[in-house]
Amino acid sequence: MNSQAQKKLGIVIAGSLNQGIQARLDNNVSVEEVTVGNLVTIQGKSRRFFGMINDISLEVTDAGILQSSSAAEDSFISEILSGTATYGAMQVAPYLTLGVDNSLTDGPQPVKSIPSHFSPVLLANEADIELVFGRESKENFSIGNPLDMEVKLCLDLPEFVRRSNGVFGKSGTGKTFLTRLLLVGILQSGAAVNLVFDMHNEYGWKGTREKASPVKGLKQLFPSLVSVFTLDEKNSIDRGVSTDFVVNIGYDEIKPEDISLLRQTLNLTDQAVSATYQLQKRYGNRWIEEAMKLEDNEESAEILNSLNIHDATFGNLKRGLRNICNLPFVKPQVKERAVEKVLEYLENGKHVVLEFGRFRDITTYILIANLLTRRIYERYQAKTERAMANDSAPPRPLVITIEEAHKFLNPGVASQTIFGTIAREMRKYNATLLVIDQRPSGIDEEVMSQLGTKITGLLDSERDIDAVLAGMSGKSALKSVLSKLSSRQQALIFGHAVPMPVAFRPRDYGTPESYKELGSLRNDVDDDGLEDLW
Amino acid sequence: MALDLHKVASSLFGMTNDFAASQETRAENLANAIKIFASANNAKSLKNKVEASKTSWLVAEIVNDFNGKHKPGALPEEFGILATDGSQIDVDRHRGARCYLINIGTVALKYGNNPRAELNSHPLLFSKEEDLAARPDNYIPGREMMVEGSLLGIRRTVEEFKYLAELCAGIPKKDKALALVDGSLIMWGLLSKEYPDYIVDAVLENGILQQMESIWQLNSERQVALASYISFSRSTDVVNALRVLVCPHEKADCDKYCTGVSTEERPCACFDGIRDRDIFWQSLDCDERSDVFASRSRINCTRYGRHRVHFYYIKTFDEIARVEVPEWVANDAELLSLSHSLVINQCYKGQGYPVALSEAHEQAVVTGADRENFYHLMDEYMAGKKLSVTISAKSLSKKTRWV
Amino acid sequence: MEGVNERLGEVIEASTGGFSAQCYKLYELPALGELVKCHYDETEILAVTCGGSTNSFEPGRRPIARGHDETSEDSLYQNNPQLNQLLRSEFGTVVVGFRQEGKYYHYLPSFPVRLHSFVYRCSDEEIIAFGESLEFLILLEGAQCEVPVEELIAACIRRMSVSNGPDSGFSVRAGKKLTEMYSGDYQRLRAILARLR
């Protein structure tokens, strides 16, 4: 089965299970050829090990050699010394063991022992990758290639959507592209329905690309499966995007919890936030309507007094509320509830991308995302419980994609948002999150720990790196790989959906071939003429 | 505790004192002698006077001139040097088997465009009756001489000449060569003891003279000179001619005129202690030879025939050597010149002594260790044949140092 | 089997670790570090020359300067033909292995060579075949010889490198073996490597 010749890199010379394996490079392998993040197999006496290179070093048997100038100046001597007195070494973090005869009965197991001295270390080949990560199939979605390899790296989608996940990386590292890929994967496999809060209008119809023409969005690839909702009809029309629904929010849909989440962005005082609860107690769903009616008069003052709301507090609150009510999509009344529409589509198996058009400010984003999600989740909870009681089919698994996650999930507010709840409750009610963020250190630790799989591009802040890797065993090994990722088109994936951490190059998204492959469920899209349709 | 140097030191010291004292006198005498030598310009008259005189010492026969000097001729381009030397392991009376060993070293050197060298040694073991004892043809038991000691040495010399003649026989035609031996051509040893005639015949007519004859015969097709080299000669032949020169009597007659006269009072006393080499060291320049003289020793004159021994002195860079040649060399200008220039050349190559002779000596020499090894081997063979190796008590006692 | 190998000399002293041989012709010594062989029944014993000398046959006789009046060194020898008979050239060797039934072994044979064995130069093919393993360098390293061990090893490697050819990478392979042997003693290693050119 494993007929492809594997390149031998070196032999094991030292190491421990905790610190990793140290291997010495063979004479004919240049230390410059070896890169962190490469996957290797180690052929032990009775087992095969699978691991990743996470450090490379230069060693010398005799420090005196470094003092001597002859080794540096004389290529003959340095050629002799290389591989004998001077040699390259690499640090390998072992993750899995396989039986020597590649028996597939057990498959790869988490590593519990280490290879013996002088075991050969070989570069992993295609067969090894397929053995560990599986072959591409409906449920095994190819997200790219492991570094420096041609073979496809697959992600177990059903496993992926079982838990909340995160996509991280500093700006410009391709988080949006990665997210798009994941969404396409979920879509292709049918493992879940997506609800995407598309803050920058990147996912629905088309997305931007640096120094190139725009890429196709989800709807272009899967016109019949994806629907685009918009908060800003005009903007969508201007951009040539056909939308399926225009979202408006009625005053009565906004709850004090929603306002509470916006305390920072609206500059509300604590008392103002408390006041919302008072108002709601008094006025129920119409509390905003009523609050806006309250003028600077005696009557109002009385009411406020009776609610124990201070003047200044109310002023502060009203100002904040006015900000919200001034939003074009916030209307006193709406005909069709967006929540209902969204749920309708989701239940029918349609994926929903909500564009925000011009309304890209964080206040809007948090408000809408939280508001809609809260209601959708309530429904999901109810449905799931009913299904359990009746022993009937539960609602479709739902993946909710949110960007700028640290705004929703920072320690301060994580306990208050619905997203924190969803993350904590895992898949209890068949809804999970896909959080996208460039500042993972801003996300609540507990929430981070609930994320099943993380995909991260280059992070340059030590705190961000620590936050992403928190709780991972072998953290320091991954840290060195993570910090060496290229700033573009390289990412590290680890967690439940992959048997072991792996650094990879995400697959192309934007070339005609990629569209063909990604959009393969539906081939009624004419690549060339698409732009002209609009 | 072998030699007590302390006890002999004072005697040594006294001896050197005596030497020092006599040096001054000697120096005066020498200067005088040289003056006389240099001024002797009538060689013919001196020659006659010498022939007419009866002296108690040997006087050189003047052949042509007396005090001449001769530079060496040009070296030929190609020439050969042949030399032999010998040594012996004498009969050891304290040993079981009676035998003696003569070891002859032979050297054949070729100089020129194709230089070659052949260095060999030829050990000869003698154990048969006819070798151990010299007997005349009409042998009467009791009238034999044991070949040992000085007679063995004489026998050895004969063997040296035999090998020399053989070497010479190998000289290609038309080549030039010099055959060399060490020591005198005159068998002085025969004179010192009373050797019966049959011995003398064996040594001379049937011995060395026969070999010299065969070497002489080779000259019909080649040029082969024969010479002997005497280093640091103690001869006084020529000085004695000066004695005759200064003798006041018309014909010198030591018995007649100087019996009873003390040594110091004799007219020729000024030449006491002066040797030929002292004279020629001053008078010759480096590489030069003296005039040729003949030896008036009786045996030379009566038995040597055409090989009658002549001689001349040469000055090498550090000594005066006496070169003896047979008459057929002395009378042949080319052969004489050949002997002179080749000997000089050999001395240069040999650090003052002819290199062929020193190499022949090296080939011939039998060291003490060689002797021991020889006897050892002999004993082993004897023991192997179960023959008794009786060793005398004296021999044993000398073998190890015991308390 | 004499074959076409050149005969270099004859063994005059022998022990398991090495032997000395006298050359047949004066001054026709093998180079330092040359691979040579002797036969012992069915075995070929291989050795590396570790030094040569020319001196007088007899220990008591020392050569003296003779050329004061000579115009050239050649004329000195021409004018003293007895020198060829009185001097001899000899060379010493260190045994580095042996060949039995076509296979090379890079450790000491059980017995020393016999006296008066003929010593032959090894051919290029034999040198290449023997040099496939470099284990014998350890035997050279421990040799007692008059030249420093570093010179001996370097000379041997240079000579074998010539037979192997400049592109064979033999020198580099030998250098790597030396690096193993001299680990911890870089100065000595460097001294040898510098002499490998």
Side-chain angles (χ1 to χ4, degrees):
Chain A
M1 200 185 189
N2 192 4
S3 57
Q4 195 183 20
Q6 286 177 294
K7 177 161 181 196
K8 178 164 178 268
L9 292 179
I11 52 171
V12 172
I13 54 172
S16 71
L17 194 53
N18 289 329
Q19 314 283 4
I21 307 297
Q22 200 187 23
R24 171 208 163 105
L25 295 178
D26 281 349
N27 283 3
N28 57 341
V29 175
S30 161
V31 73
E32 293 168 15
E33 286 170 23
V34 177
T35 38
V36 282
N38 282 139
L39 294 175
V40 295
T41 59
I42 304 177
Q43 195 75 33
K45 288 212 174 57
S46 52
R47 289 178 214 268
R48 237 162 43 108
F49 295 81
F50 213 80
M52 181 162 63
I53 299 174
N54 67 320
D55 200 5
I56 301 163
S57 60
L58 294 177
E59 307 288 337
V60 69
T61 56
D62 186 340
I65 294 171
L66 303 173
Q67 311 296 344
S68 158
S69 59
S70 55
E73 289 163 2
D74 190 334
S75 62
F76 176 62
I77 290 186
S78 61
E79 192 189 341
I80 287 175
L81 294 176
S82 94
T84 50
T86 58
Y87 60 94
M90 55 186 175
Q91 196 75 21
V92 173
Y95 287 103
L96 303 169
T97 48
L98 309 160
V100 165
D101 53 354
N102 288 345
S103 56
L104 295 174
T105 49
D106 284 353
Q109 302 293 320
V111 67
K112 286 197 186 110
S113 68
I114 50 173
S116 44
H117 272 106
F118 310 129
S119 300
V121 178
L122 311 121
L123 265 187
N125 65 5
E126 202 174 288
D128 295 323
I129 302 295
E130 284 181 4
L131 185 66
V132 172
F133 294 99
R135 277 229 182 100
E136 195 179 14
S137 69
K138 186 159 183 252
E139 294 185 342
N140 244 12
F141 179 68
S142 163
I143 50 170
N145 329 91
L147 291 185
D148 303 323
M149 295 182 82
E150 295 296 315
V151 63
K152 292 192 181 159
L153 178 69
C154 297
L155 176 65
D156 185 345
L157 278 173
E159 191 61 39
F160 185 69
V161 302
R162 237 188 272 276
R163 291 179 161 81
S164 296
N165 305 295
V167 177
F168 304 104
K170 68 176 193 172
S171 62
T173 52
K175 294 189 295 299
T176 313
F177 274 83
L178 268 170
T179 309
R180 239 183 249 123
L181 277 176
L182 293 168
L183 293 173
V184 167
I186 295 171
L187 215 148
Q188 274 189 350
S189 69
V193 276
N194 285 312
L195 170 59
V196 182
F197 291 104
D198 188 358
M199 189 177 183
H200 300 288
N201 314 313
E202 287 282 347
Y203 298 101
W205 184 247
K206 58 183 173 190
T208 54
R209 182 163 51 169
E210 232 182 86
K211 296 184 188 130
S213 58
V215 295
K216 297 186 188 180
L218 293 170
K219 191 167 164 95
Q220 282 198 52
L221 292 177
F222 302 94
S224 53
L225 286 182
V226 177
S227 54
V228 177
F229 285 21
T230 179
L231 217 49
D232 184 351
E233 192 179 7
K234 183 168 185 310
N235 180 270
S236 297
I237 293 174
D238 286 344
R239 281 169 35 242
V241 179
S242 86
T243 54
D244 299 275
F245 185 79
V246 178
V247 169
N248 286 310
I249 304 293
Y251 283 8
D252 57 345
E253 294 186 72
I254 301 175
K255 299 227 161 57
E257 292 88 350
D258 302 321
I259 304 296
S260 162
L261 195 57
L262 295 168
R263 97 177 60 201
Q264 265 187 319
T265 52
L266 293 178
N267 265 326
L268 298 174
T269 60
D270 284 344
Q271 291 91 325
V273 174
S274 329
T276 59
Y277 288 93
Q278 302 290 80
L279 288 164
Q280 197 221 23
K281 240 205 273 193
R282 171 68 69 87
Y283 295 106
N285 269 354
R286 288 170 32 248
W287 67 277
I288 290 187
E289 211 187 314
E290 294 303 319
M292 292 313 281
K293 283 190 194 149
L294 291 176
E295 296 289 319
D296 208 359
N297 55 25
E298 240 187 82
E299 205 190 321
S300 313
E302 249 187 61
I303 302 177
L304 289 174
N305 245 348
S306 66
L307 292 171
N308 265 325
I309 296 171
H310 202 260
D311 232 2
T313 306
F314 185 71
N316 178 269
L317 174 62
K318 187 139 182 214
R319 194 188 28 80
L321 288 178
R322 200 176 295 130
N323 277 338
I324 296 198
C325 298
N326 283 343
L327 294 168
F329 53 85
V330 177
K331 306 228 159 55
Q333 264 109 27
V334 289
K335 276 190 296 263
E336 271 187 286
R337 294 240 183 267
V339 178
E340 297 301 328
K341 207 68 184 177
V342 169
L343 278 168
E344 189 191 313
Y345 273 70
L346 292 178
E347 268 157 34
N348 287 333
K350 284 240 182 157
H351 306 261
V352 175
V353 177
L354 173 58
E355 287 193 337
F356 281 68
R358 280 171 292 157
F359 308 123
R360 289 190 236 186
D361 58 291
I362 197 61
T363 311
T364 308
Y365 193 69
I366 292 179
L367 172 66
I368 300 299
N370 193 54
L371 193 147
L372 289 177
T373 304
R374 200 157 36 76
R375 283 173 175 68
I376 291 170
Y377 194 62
E378 267 169 26
R379 292 295 197 83
Y380 256 72
Q381 272 177 306
K383 280 198 175 170
T384 310
E385 275 163 6
R386 219 179 309 142
M388 275 191 347
N390 296 348
D391 211 13
S392 57
R396 279 179 201 273
L398 170 66
V399 173
I400 303 172
T401 305
I402 50 168
E403 305 187 273
E404 308 277 342
H406 65 274
K407 298 273 197 242
F408 298 86
L409 292 167
N410 59 64
V413 302
S415 50
Q416 296 166 354
T417 64
I418 191 60
F419 298 103
T421 309
I422 296 177
R424 269 194 300 281
E425 290 184 345
M426 301 202 7
R427 214 203 174 188
K428 202 153 136 194
Y429 300 112
N430 282 301
T432 54
L433 298 176
L434 177 59
V435 301
I436 322 289
D437 203 64
Q438 66 193 35
R439 251 210 307 127
S441 55
I443 297 179
D444 180 52
E445 257 176 45
E446 212 203 316
V447 171
M448 282 295 274
S449 69
Q450 305 291 11
L451 297 179
T453 306
K454 296 176 189 132
I455 305 176
T456 167
L458 178 64
L459 290 167
D460 54 3
S461 151
E462 184 90 11
R463 284 180 28 203
D464 286 332
I465 295 175
D466 284 338
V468 162
L469 295 175
M472 279 292 293
S473 64
K475 178 176 156 176
S476 54
L478 289 176
K479 198 162 167 173
S480 60
V481 177
L482 176 49
S483 54
K484 298 291 174 299
L485 288 175
S486 160
S487 60
R488 319 189 84 237
Q489 299 205 312
Q490 280 191 355
L492 177 68
I493 179 170
F494 52 94
H496 286 91
V498 284
M500 61 170 271
V502 55
F504 69 102
R505 184 182 168 286
R507 76 196 266 187
D508 283 338
Y509 188 109
T511 61
E513 297 83 36
S514 66
Y515 292 147
K516 206 156 151 211
E517 279 168 30
L518 290 166
S520 62
L521 276 190
R522 289 277 178 271
N523 36 18
D524 55 359
V525 176
D526 184 22
D527 291 351
D528 296 347
L530 206 54
E531 291 302 307
D532 299 339
L533 276 178
W534 290 93
Chain B
M1 189 89 55
L3 173 66
D4 189 339
L5 281 177
H6 293 288
K7 289 180 182 159
V8 87
S10 52
S11 311
L12 273 172
F13 191 68
M15 180 183 86
T16 50
N17 273 344
D18 294 340
F19 282 160
S22 62
Q23 278 297 67
E24 241 188 78
T25 342
R26 250 194 101 251
E28 276 175 33
N29 289 348
L30 178 60
N32 188 37
I34 288 168
K35 240 191 348 221
I36 297 171
F37 175 79
S39 58
N41 45 14
N42 197 342
K44 194 128 195 328
S45 81
L46 180 54
K47 180 182 165 78
N48 294 334
K49 187 172 183 187
V50 163
E51 260 155 47
S53 301
K54 278 171 28 184
T55 58
S56 49
W57 10 266
L58 194 60
V59 182
E61 177 185 308
I62 295 162
V63 176
N64 288 320
D65 283 316
F66 184 63
N67 51 12
K69 315 188 322 169
H70 306 267
K71 291 209 182 299
L75 263 186
E77 253 186 53
E78 312 255 342
F79 59 91
I81 306 281
L82 309 134
T84 55
D85 196 4
S87 69
Q88 70 239 28
I89 297 179
D90 209 335
V91 173
D92 187 345
R93 292 210 188 131
H94 308 292
R95 289 238 156 222
R98 282 189 75 90
C99 62
Y100 59 87
L101 179 94
I102 292 178
N103 195 33
I104 303 293
T106 59
V107 169
L109 302 172
K110 179 94 175 24
Y111 295 87
N113 290 330
N114 303 308
R116 259 191 353 261
E118 276 170 42
L119 313 170
N120 285 304
S121 71
H122 311 265
L124 311 161
L125 185 66
F126 299 97
S127 58
K128 297 203 164 65
E129 275 301 317
E130 61 261 32
D131 295 317
L132 292 173
R135 291 171 182 162
D137 294 326
N138 50 341
Y139 171 52
I140 301 162
R143 285 208 67 209
E144 61 184 15
M145 291 208 67
M146 299 310 293
V147 179
E148 53 189 22
S150 50
L151 186 54
L152 174 56
I154 291 169
R155 166 109 204 237
R156 191 196 80 217
T157 307
V158 174
E159 292 294 330
E160 289 170 24
F161 271 88
K162 210 161 88 177
Y163 275 89
L164 188 63
E166 265 179 48
L167 283 180
C168 290
I171 298 171
K173 296 191 184 157
K174 301 215 184 119
D175 273 23
K176 299 184 193 200
L178 171 65
L180 261 186
V181 286
D182 179 70
S184 177
L185 289 176
I186 303 166
M187 299 299 297
W188 300 107
L190 284 176
L191 301 173
S192 59
K193 264 200 191 161
E194 285 290 325
Y195 286 111
D197 285 339
Y198 74 89
I199 298 267
V200 177
D201 290 344
V203 173
L204 289 179
E205 272 78 15
N206 300 328
I208 66 170
L209 295 181
Q210 194 179 51
Q211 307 304 335
M212 286 165 77
E213 180 76 13
S214 57
I215 293 177
W216 169 70
Q217 280 172 355
L218 293 170
N219 276 286
S220 58
E221 285 168 313
R222 311 155 180 79
Q223 281 190 301
V224 185
L226 170 66
S228 80
Y229 185 94
I230 301 155
S231 171
F232 206 58
S233 163
R234 295 170 66 240
S235 305
T236 51
D237 299 39
V238 176
V239 170
N240 291 341
L242 290 179
R243 285 182 195 266
V244 170
L245 182 63
V246 305
C247 185
H249 310 278
E250 201 186 306
K251 293 176 193 172
D253 194 330
C254 299
D255 291 334
K256 191 168 174 192
Y257 300 117
C258 291
T259 333
V261 178
S262 67
T263 347
E264 302 86 17
E265 285 168 23
R266 295 191 196 178
C268 56
C270 61
F271 295 109
D272 288 347
I274 310 285
R275 297 187 190 278
D276 289 354
R277 65 166 189 256
D278 301 324
I279 304 278
F280 287 106
W281 180 255
Q282 302 292 351
S283 73
L284 290 177
D285 289 331
C286 193
D287 295 352
E288 285 180 344
R289 70 163 172 84
S290 68
D291 285 319
V292 178
F293 305 93
S295 173
R296 291 171 78 235
S297 131
R298 194 169 52 85
I299 199 171
N300 191 25
C301 299
T302 52
R303 305 292 286 264
Y304 274 63
R306 73 168 115 244
H307 305 292
R308 190 158 84 93
V309 178
H310 286 55
F311 65 92
Y312 56 83
Y313 289 97
I314 54 166
K315 182 171 179 179
T316 67
F317 58 84
D318 65 355
E319 70 160 1
I320 293 289
R322 175 177 161 124
V323 177
E324 293 187 353
V325 292
E327 191 174 87
W328 51 268
V329 171
N331 290 343
D332 184 329
E334 277 188 35
L335 286 180
L336 180 64
S337 172
L338 195 64
S339 73
H340 178 199
S341 50
L342 261 48
V343 164
I344 292 290
N345 185 260
Q346 283 287 293
C347 286
Y348 271 116
K349 296 204 159 102
Q351 314 288 309
Y353 183 78
V355 66
L357 284 176
S358 54
E359 292 302 336
H361 176 75
E362 289 287 340
Q363 292 293 318
V365 79
V366 172
T367 63
D370 291 331
R371 245 178 66 100
E372 285 307 311
N373 292 337
F374 167 75
Y375 282 127
H376 210 78
L377 187 61
M378 183 172 81
D379 290 344
E380 270 193 39
Y381 281 142
M382 297 279 278
K385 296 283 182 197
K386 308 232 180 348
L387 296 162
S388 71
V389 184
T390 47
I391 298 174
S392 71
K394 180 172 176 186
S395 156
L396 271 177
S397 131
K398 273 168 125 186
K399 263 201 172 22
T400 54
R401 302 186 71 201
W402 45 269
V403 177
Chain C
M1 258 282 275
E2 245 196 64
V4 294
N5 296 71
E6 184 190 334
R7 220 209 280 189
L8 293 170
E10 197 169 302
V11 174
I12 53 174
E13 254 183 79
S15 64
T16 315
F19 55 84
S20 300
Q22 183 190 323
C23 300
Y24 288 113
K25 283 223 175 107
L26 200 60
Y27 298 122
E28 290 192 1
L29 287 161
L32 179 68
E34 184 84 37
L35 192 67
V36 299
K37 62 176 184 177
C38 288
H39 296 284
Y40 189 116
D41 297 336
E42 298 304 315
T43 310
E44 264 179 22
I45 294 183
L46 291 126
V48 170
T49 59
C50 65
S53 64
T54 301
N55 24 49
S56 143
F57 257 106
E58 284 175 57
R61 297 185 70 181
R62 285 192 55 179
I64 49 168
R66 293 173 176 275
H68 180 263
D69 295 321
E70 302 286 355
T71 49
S72 72
E73 291 165 22
D74 283 337
S75 67
L76 188 154
Y77 278 92
Q78 282 227 328
N79 290 332
N80 290 283
Q82 76 278 13
L83 288 179
N84 275 317
Q85 309 295 318
L86 297 174
L87 303 175
R88 66 171 178 184
S89 293
E90 51 184 285
F91 57 92
T93 68
V94 178
V95 173
V96 290
F98 58 97
R99 185 174 186 218
Q100 223 168 36
E101 286 163 15
K103 198 160 172 273
Y104 282 108
Y105 298 86
H106 299 80
Y107 46 84
L108 288 179
S110 314
F111 302 100
V113 300
R114 284 185 294 234
L115 290 180
H116 300 291
S117 296
F118 296 150
V119 182
Y120 298 93
R121 192 195 298 277
C122 287
S123 66
D124 282 343
E125 291 78 33
E126 286 168 320
I127 290 176
I128 292 173
F130 184 72
E132 278 184 19
S133 161
L134 292 163
E135 272 309 305
F136 68 92
L137 288 176
I138 297 183
L139 287 169
L140 286 184
E141 205 250 324
Q144 305 272 348
C145 57
E146 38 151 345
V147 302
V149 155
E150 293 86 20
E151 294 284 344
L152 174 61
I153 292 179
C156 178
I157 294 175
R158 285 197 303 267
R159 174 65 188 89
M160 293 180 84
S161 175
V162 166
S163 292
N164 276 274
D167 296 326
S168 63
F170 178 80
S171 296
V172 172
R173 182 159 67 91
K176 288 192 192 276
K177 181 75 186 173
L178 290 173
T179 309
E180 258 181 56
M181 280 164 57
Y182 285 99
S183 80
D185 192 350
Y186 178 65
Q187 279 318 310
R188 273 187 107 189
L189 173 66
R190 195 209 55 79
I192 301 181
L193 294 182
R195 287 162 167 72
L196 286 186
R197 248 71 70 83

